[in-house]
């Protein structure tokens, strides 16, 4: 899209007086106007660059702009990049400061680029040329990534794209953390890398990463902070060399050895085999995990040799105390024990360790441990389930302060078993599209009409039966599958809202979203894409979120920006279960909330408690003072409805209005209301 003649006259009259190379691009980054100064410095005529995508920029600068593009076009502050090196038409180098800002001309939005440019001298030019040759050599030998100071990817070379299966368009703007498997251990490694380079240090080590389609691979990583002459960090350079085969060979050698070299204990590879052998022989045993508390904090005060001695000394105490048991090294700071001993004896290891502290160089090491016990066959019946149960118990123990060895109750084990079954079946359900949607109508109190509905996910599994959202959603969040469910619900909400609009109904559709979805930097693009796919007006879609979501979102600027962008484009955000969460209401100032939903736990007892009536009345007045719509959830009786109506509540939902129903039943309900 070029500038119209009238717009061009305006641009030339004003912008050509700027004594710097200046040009405009449209919202897609295509050049639409080119100043005389730009023509002088770069050698390109206006006709040569019109419609082109910045031919004088290198990949790094293009990547940096792509990562910031939405922010630029949203009319926020100008972006300054200094220094950058650009190329003239005859491939000469220019050193410049780049300033980019959005500009409105006749209701159209453009990006205005200004360059403060001076031709570099021969010495600088030679140095830059040598640097470019070095970059080219590195790019041909290593997987190369450029990150901005927030850890967002600005550029990836061909070797990285080929290995990771990402496309150039999709990788730009992704978070560094998204390149790692989504487990606490791998995220901790990513945090360690970023913390190191953000402190201005170089990181070097072997890390495990993940391709776009979920395949794990290993690389030798060298991460370097790149600074200017004043030691200000500009960006981070990551060089990677794949060592997957080397790592697999090392793992195979470890499997063959079956012995942990540092402690002499059985390795974790052999542990699984031994547990399975015990299960096949139907031996009763307890599967015990012992983990060192605050190991990585402790590790910072120990050198490598002292750390190794610590592990050896702890191993000695484990062998003394669990002398009739099988002990394995399960991780850097974890030990697994297969034992016939009773729970009370296992739990006594905490006291034994206090009585027999570890001394290194005549100093007592402040080491404490936490532990978990899972029994076979009473609690779990497979190695993976034993491992999962033990890890769950260990996490619970550490959350409660640690320093004990504990076990789950039988009811907790039953819940865990069902959770594991749901996790397995959930993946199959997503692959086979086994979910369906029901709609809970909301009635406008003033008009008595149904003007919006809440879309609710439903899943009836042929093996597990009905899985309610209260059970499904936490599991989906833990496994990372909540994004897939969120995308499914977004698609269904937009599709149904568009269908109803075509029928002249104009019903708004809301669905619940997770904080994990908004941590995806492409959430805005995803919503826009689905709206466009179904030709659905944005003002027909409402996104609901909880107070827990709100509390986390207020601390993450990127999430707030994405929500504000969608709000500006017509999406309504509704705060669900209002009144049950956190005392801080700061998020009401920061987040673009258009609707408050009073939780059903308040409404259910409204007729019996005078103080509760006063509380709900206060919530309604509070919400309306913020100029937002107030909805009461869980309305089940006519008396509740009448009282809420007297209080001035804007809308209600609940079984008094309707239970969750199909789209066809929603249409029939609306017809009945209009009769």
């Amino acid at each position: 899209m070029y500038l119209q003649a009238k717009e061009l006259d305006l641009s030339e009259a004003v912008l050509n007086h700027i004594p710097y190379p200046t040009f405009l691009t449209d919202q897609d980054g295509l050049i639409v106007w080119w100043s005389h100064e730009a023509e002088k410095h770069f050698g390109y005529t206006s006709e040569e660059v019109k419609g082109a995508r910045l031919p004088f920029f290198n990949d790094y600068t293009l990547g940096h702009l792509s990562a910031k593009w939405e922010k630029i076009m949203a009319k926020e502050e100008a972006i300054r990049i200094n220094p950058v090196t650009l190329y003239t038409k005859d491939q000469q180098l220019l050193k410049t400061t780049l300033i980019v800002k959005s500009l409105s001309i006749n209701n159209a939005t453009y990006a205005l680029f200004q360059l403060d440019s001076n031709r570099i001298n021969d010495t600088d030019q030679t140095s830059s040329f040598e640097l470019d040759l070095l970059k080219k050599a590195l790019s041909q030998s290593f997987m190369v990534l450029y990150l901005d100071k927030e850890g967002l990817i600005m550029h990836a070379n061909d070797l990285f794209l080929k290995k990771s299966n990402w496309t150039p368009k999709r990788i730009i703007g992704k978070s560094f953390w998204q390149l790692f498997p989504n487990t606490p251990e791998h995220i901790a490694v990513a945090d360690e890398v970023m913390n190191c380079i953000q402190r201005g240090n170089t990181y070097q080590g072997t890390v495990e990463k993940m391709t776009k389609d979920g395949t794990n691979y290993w690389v030798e990583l060298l991460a370097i902070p790149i600074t200017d002459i004043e030691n200000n960090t500009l960006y981070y350079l990551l060089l990677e060399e794949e060592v997957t085969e080397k790592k697999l060979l090392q793992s195979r050698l470890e499997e063959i050895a079956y012995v942990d070299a540092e402690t002499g204990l059985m390795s974790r590879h052999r542990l699984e085999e031994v547990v399975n052998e015990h299960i096949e022989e139907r031996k009763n045993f307890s599967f015990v995990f012992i983990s060192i508390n605050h190991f990585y904090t402790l590790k910072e005060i120990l050198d490598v040799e002292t750390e190794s001695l610590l592990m050896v000394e702890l191993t000695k105490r484990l062998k003394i105390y669990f002398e009739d048991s099988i002990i394995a090294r399960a991780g850097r700071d974890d030990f697994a024990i297969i034992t016939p001993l009773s729970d009370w004896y296992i739990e006594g290891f905490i006291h034994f360790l206090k009585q027999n502290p570890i001394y290194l160089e005549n100093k007592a090491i402040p080491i404490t441990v936490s532990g978990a016990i899972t029994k076979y066959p009473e609690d779990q019946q497979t190695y993976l389930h034993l491992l999962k149960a033990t890890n769950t118990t260990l996490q619970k123990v550490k959350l409660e302060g640690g320093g004990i060895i504990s076990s789950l109750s039988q009811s907790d084990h039953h819940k865990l078993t069902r959770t594991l079954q749901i996790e397995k079946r959930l993946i199959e359900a997503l692959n086979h599209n086994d979910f369906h949607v029901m709609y809970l109508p909301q009635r406008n109190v003033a008009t008595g009409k149904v003007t919006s509905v809440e879309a609710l996910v439903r899943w009836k599994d042929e093996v597990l039966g009905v899985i309610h959202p209260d059970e499904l959603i936490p599991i989906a969040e833990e496994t990372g599958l909540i994004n897939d469910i969120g995308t499914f619900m977004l698609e269904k909400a937009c599709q149904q809202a568009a269908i109803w609009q075509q029928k002249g109904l104009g019903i708004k559709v809301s669905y619940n979203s997770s904080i994990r979805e908004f941590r995806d930097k492409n959430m805005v693009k995803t919503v826009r894409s689905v709206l466009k796919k179904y030709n659905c007006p944005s003002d027909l879609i409402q996104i609901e979120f909880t107070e827990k979501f709100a509390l986390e979102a207020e601390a993450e600027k990127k999430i707030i920006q994405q929500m504000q962008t969608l709000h500006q484009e017509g999406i309504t955000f509704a705060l669900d279960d209002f009144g049950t969460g956190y005392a801080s209401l700061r998020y009401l100032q920061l987040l673009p909330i258009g609707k408050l939903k009073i939780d059903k736990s308040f409404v259910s007892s409204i007729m019996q408690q005078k103080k509760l009536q006063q509380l709900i009345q206060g919530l309604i007045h509070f919400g309306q003072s913020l100029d937002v719509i107030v909805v009461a959830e869980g309305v089940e009786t006519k008396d509740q409805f009448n009282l809420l109506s007297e209080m001035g509540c804007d809308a209600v939902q609940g079984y008094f209005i309707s239970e969750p129903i199909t789209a066809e039943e929603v249409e029939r309900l609306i017809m009945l209301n209009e009769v």
Side-chain angles (χ1 to χ4, degrees):
M1 178 183 68
Y2 295 170
L3 287 174
Q4 301 297 321
K6 191 174 180 180
E7 296 170 330
L8 182 59
D9 291 341
L10 174 66
S11 301
E12 289 183 342
V14 178
L15 300 178
N16 261 327
H17 289 285
I18 299 174
Y20 307 103
T22 308
F23 58 95
L24 294 174
T25 74
D26 63 15
Q27 295 189 45
D28 295 323
L30 303 180
I31 296 173
V32 295
W33 179 81
W34 187 250
S35 75
H36 298 320
E37 285 294 323
E39 184 171 335
K40 285 183 199 175
H41 280 76
F42 290 96
Y44 291 99
T45 67
S46 180
E47 291 302 317
E48 286 177 318
V49 296
K50 272 188 178 180
R53 193 181 297 276
L54 310 176
F56 38 88
F57 280 31
N58 58 27
D59 288 337
Y60 163 72
T61 308
L62 280 173
H64 192 92
L65 283 173
S66 297
K68 304 288 185 183
W69 192 250
E70 286 190 8
K71 184 176 181 181
I72 295 169
M73 300 310 293
K75 300 183 180 180
E76 297 186 8
E77 68 273 16
I79 300 296
R80 177 183 292 270
I81 307 174
N82 179 36
V84 294
T85 302
L86 308 180
Y87 298 85
T88 66
K89 183 178 179 181
D90 58 0
Q91 294 303 299
Q92 297 296 310
L93 301 179
L94 291 176
K95 183 182 294 182
T96 181
T97 295
L98 176 64
I99 303 170
V100 195
K101 193 179 188 305
S102 64
L103 176 70
S104 293
I105 302 177
N106 286 358
N107 297 321
T109 302
Y110 302 91
L112 172 67
F113 290 73
Q114 286 186 16
L115 304 149
D116 184 4
S117 179
N118 294 307
R119 289 187 179 274
I120 59 179
N121 59 38
D122 291 340
T123 303
D124 287 340
Q125 200 169 46
T126 301
S127 299
S128 295
F129 181 70
E130 290 175 352
L131 181 59
D132 278 355
L133 287 177
L134 177 58
K135 287 183 178 179
K136 185 176 180 181
L138 289 174
S139 190
Q140 290 173 346
S141 305
F142 296 93
M143 292 180 276
V144 180
L145 281 174
Y146 290 87
L147 307 179
D148 68 11
K149 290 187 286 186
E150 296 175 344
L152 301 182
I153 297 168
M154 300 185 299
H155 173 66
N157 72 342
D158 290 339
L159 288 179
F160 178 87
L161 296 173
K162 182 178 179 180
K163 178 61 192 177
S164 66
N165 290 332
W166 285 99
T167 62
K169 182 178 179 181
R170 294 293 183 187
I171 194 67
I172 301 300
K174 291 290 182 186
S175 163
F176 171 68
W177 286 265
Q178 289 177 266
L179 305 179
F180 290 77
N182 189 24
T183 68
E185 295 78 12
H186 290 95
I187 297 304
V189 172
D191 288 340
E192 183 180 355
V193 175
M194 285 303 299
N195 290 338
C196 179
I197 57 179
Q198 285 175 345
R199 290 195 299 266
N201 301 321
T202 296
Y203 177 91
Q204 186 170 6
T206 305
V207 300
E208 187 176 12
K209 300 182 69 179
M210 185 176 66
T211 65
K212 182 176 180 290
D213 56 9
T215 303
N216 289 19
Y217 65 103
W218 292 84
V219 298
E220 282 287 348
L221 171 64
L222 178 64
I224 308 168
I226 304 300
T227 61
D228 59 19
I229 57 175
E230 297 176 355
N231 206 32
N232 298 311
T233 300
L234 302 175
Y235 58 92
Y236 304 115
L237 172 65
L238 274 60
L239 302 176
E240 299 176 351
E241 180 181 13
E242 187 180 3
V243 291
T244 304
E245 288 188 6
K246 178 181 176 181
K247 192 70 179 178
L248 290 175
L249 176 59
Q250 179 183 343
S251 296
R252 284 194 291 269
L253 291 173
E254 289 175 356
E255 290 173 14
I256 293 170
Y258 283 145
V259 174
D260 176 65
E262 190 171 41
T263 63
L265 295 174
M266 176 195 302
S267 73
R268 60 188 177 87
H269 305 291
R270 177 61 178 152
L271 174 65
E272 181 175 357
E273 288 188 3
V274 172
V275 171
N276 286 330
E277 287 169 3
H278 276 59
I279 292 173
E280 288 175 9
E281 296 170 10
R282 299 185 181 279
K283 292 181 178 178
N284 289 22
F285 62 92
S286 289
F287 186 69
V288 184
F289 241 57
I290 301 290
S291 179
I292 300 174
N293 293 328
H294 311 298
F295 174 71
Y296 287 97
T297 302
L298 186 64
K299 186 178 177 181
E300 289 183 0
I301 64 175
L302 304 174
D303 56 35
V304 175
E305 185 177 349
T306 308
E307 179 191 335
S308 182
L309 289 172
L310 172 65
M311 292 301 174
V312 171
E313 289 300 317
L314 181 57
T315 298
K316 289 179 181 178
R317 283 153 182 76
L318 287 168
K319 286 180 176 180
I320 292 170
Y321 193 81
F322 297 101
E323 58 180 347
D324 296 323
S325 307
I326 299 170
I327 307 173
R329 180 82 175 273
R332 185 67 203 143
D333 54 332
D334 297 322
F335 298 85
I337 303 162
I338 305 168
T339 181
L341 297 168
S342 62
D343 286 4
W344 68 266
Y345 186 87
I346 296 168
E347 293 164 4
F349 180 70
I350 299 292
H351 184 63
F352 174 80
L353 196 57
K354 288 180 181 178
Q355 289 183 322
N356 297 273
I358 295 174
Y359 288 89
L360 297 177
E361 298 178 353
N362 297 320
K363 293 181 181 179
I365 303 298
I367 179 174
T368 62
V369 299
S370 297
I373 308 169
T374 307
K375 292 187 179 66
Y376 172 86
E378 298 97 315
D379 297 334
Q380 300 294 336
Q381 288 78 47
T382 70
Y383 172 73
L384 289 177
H385 285 187
L386 286 166
L387 194 62
K388 180 73 173 180
T390 307
N391 282 330
T392 300
T393 311
L394 195 56
Q395 289 175 16
K396 183 179 178 181
V397 167
K398 289 187 174 183
L399 281 173
E400 293 173 353
I404 63 171
I405 299 175
S406 184
S407 58
L408 292 178
S409 66
Q410 280 302 309
S411 62
D412 286 336
H413 277 294
H414 289 316
K415 290 177 185 177
L416 179 61
T417 299
R418 179 169 171 82
T419 297
L420 293 169
Q421 291 173 330
I422 291 173
E423 285 181 10
K424 180 180 178 182
R425 300 291 298 175
L426 179 55
I427 297 173
E428 296 178 16
L430 286 167
N431 290 337
H432 298 141
N433 199 22
D434 289 342
F435 294 109
H436 67 280
V437 178
M438 302 291 281
Y439 300 92
L440 185 62
Q442 293 176 9
R443 180 188 291 179
N444 183 294
V445 173
T447 65
K449 294 182 178 181
V450 173
T451 56
S452 65
V453 296
E454 180 180 352
L456 303 171
V457 64
R458 291 292 184 264
W459 176 26
K460 185 176 181 180
D461 184 74
E462 59 183 16
V463 175
L464 301 173
V466 176
I467 294 92
H468 294 284
D470 290 346
E471 187 177 25
L472 169 63
I473 299 305
I475 295 172
E477 287 182 336
E478 183 181 347
T479 58
L481 295 173
I482 191 66
N483 288 33
D484 298 275
I485 294 176
T487 301
F488 169 81
M489 293 301 293
L490 171 63
E491 291 255 356
K492 290 297 183 182
C494 292
Q495 183 182 31
Q496 191 58 58
I499 291 172
W500 279 331
Q501 190 207 35
Q502 291 169 5
K503 293 182 177 182
L505 298 178
I507 305 171
K508 296 185 178 183
V509 182
S510 66
Y511 76 98
N512 289 277
S513 186
S514 162
I515 190 75
R516 290 181 66 115
E517 294 176 74
F518 275 84
R519 285 199 173 106
D520 183 342
K521 303 300 186 295
N522 293 314
M523 183 62 178
V524 171
K525 292 181 181 178
T526 299
V527 174
R528 286 173 177 165
S529 175
V530 177
L531 288 169
K532 183 177 180 180
K533 177 180 177 181
Y534 294 106
N535 194 25
C536 176
S538 58
D539 61 358
L540 293 181
I541 298 301
Q542 301 176 141
I543 299 177
E544 298 191 13
F545 58 93
T546 63
E547 287 186 280
K548 183 176 182 293
F549 177 121
L551 191 72
E552 293 184 51
E554 73 172 77
E556 300 187 40
K557 186 177 179 181
K558 293 293 182 182
I559 293 177
I560 296 174
Q561 289 174 343
Q562 292 206 91
M563 293 177 71
Q564 288 174 340
T565 299
L566 291 173
H567 172 69
Q568 291 165 4
E569 296 180 6
I571 300 287
T572 298
F573 285 94
L575 182 61
D576 200 10
D577 302 335
F578 182 61
T580 63
Y582 301 88
S584 169
L585 297 177
R586 182 171 175 267
Y587 55 76
L588 291 172
Q589 297 175 291
L590 299 176
L591 306 182
I593 297 170
K595 182 180 285 189
L596 293 178
K597 301 183 73 176
I598 299 174
D599 187 69
K600 61 185 178 182
S601 63
F602 295 117
V603 176
S604 62
S605 302
I606 190 174
M607 303 307 298
Q608 290 77 40
Q609 299 182 36
K610 191 70 175 176
K611 286 187 176 180
L612 195 56
Q613 293 176 15
Q614 295 171 345
L615 173 61
I616 293 175
Q617 181 76 77
L619 291 176
I620 292 171
H621 287 165
F622 174 69
Q624 291 172 345
S625 71
L626 298 175
D627 198 26
V628 301
I629 296 170
V630 180
V631 181
E633 299 180 289
V635 178
E636 297 185 351
T637 69
K638 185 175 182 179
D639 289 341
Q640 291 173 345
F641 175 81
N642 290 337
L643 182 55
L644 288 164
S645 179
E646 292 172 9
M647 290 179 174
C649 191
D650 298 305
V652 298
Q653 69 180 50
Y655 282 15
F656 176 70
I657 309 303
S658 172
E659 62 185 19
I661 54 180
T662 64
E664 293 77 14
E665 290 170 325
V666 170
E667 294 173 18
R668 287 199 290 270
L669 179 64
I670 292 173
M671 296 302 179
L672 286 173
N673 286 342
E674 293 180 351
V675 173

